[in-house]
Amino acid sequence: MTSSVSVLLYSSDAGTRAQVRLAVGRGPAPDVPPVAFVECATLPAVLRALDTGRIDACVLDGEAAPAGGMGVCRQIKSEVFRCPPVLLLIGRPQDAWLAAWCRADAVITLPVEPMECAAALASLLRAPR
């Protein structure tokens, strides 16, 4: 097991980023390495972080503005070589079809429910890449 995993956390809302950090804590599950968050509030920051090649998973806020997480997900899945898995936070359960079209690997609804968020992220981090 590696010493830690890097999770990109994108939201223009600091409160949403805090909800995810609190939900995940030091790690989403006992069998998953501790998480080091790379927080981003803008699309350019997301792209710079992904360019490093050191991101193991992404959590994107579908309600972020001006660049929503769904559009960001679709873009990085199309443009980033070996794109890490994406957990997309959506505002309404009815938007799950759109998240699937954006090629999100997992979806949860806002507000963040801690157990659901940790379980979804742990599942992405366990999956072989």
Side-chain angles (χ1 to χ4, degrees):
M1 200 182 299
T2 58
S3 59
S4 70
V5 290
S6 226
V7 175
L8 184 144
L9 175 54
Y10 167 67
S11 179
S12 57
D13 181 354
T16 300
R17 293 193 310 266
Q19 285 179 32
V20 172
R21 281 193 324 272
L22 288 172
V24 173
R26 290 185 177 168
D31 62 326
V32 175
V35 169
F37 285 106
V38 176
E39 292 190 43
C40 300
T42 65
L43 176 58
V46 168
L47 298 176
R48 278 193 305 274
L50 288 170
D51 270 348
T52 67
R54 297 183 191 139
I55 301 297
D56 298 298
C58 300
V59 178
L60 307 178
D61 179 5
E63 304 299 308
M70 288 193 196
V72 172
C73 181
R74 182 79 177 170
Q75 179 178 348
I76 66 175
K77 287 290 188 172
S78 297
E79 297 176 0
V80 175
F81 181 67
R82 293 188 181 158
C83 184
V86 173
L87 170 59
L88 191 56
L89 311 175
I90 58 175
R92 306 176 317 147
Q94 298 88 337
D95 291 335
W97 72 271
L98 187 54
W101 180 80
C102 294
R103 303 187 334 195
D105 299 284
V107 179
I108 63 170
T109 57
L110 292 167
V112 173
E113 198 287 310
M115 296 291 283
E116 181 184 26
C117 181
L121 184 58
S123 178
L124 292 181
L125 292 170
R126 285 185 197 111
R129 286 187 56 198

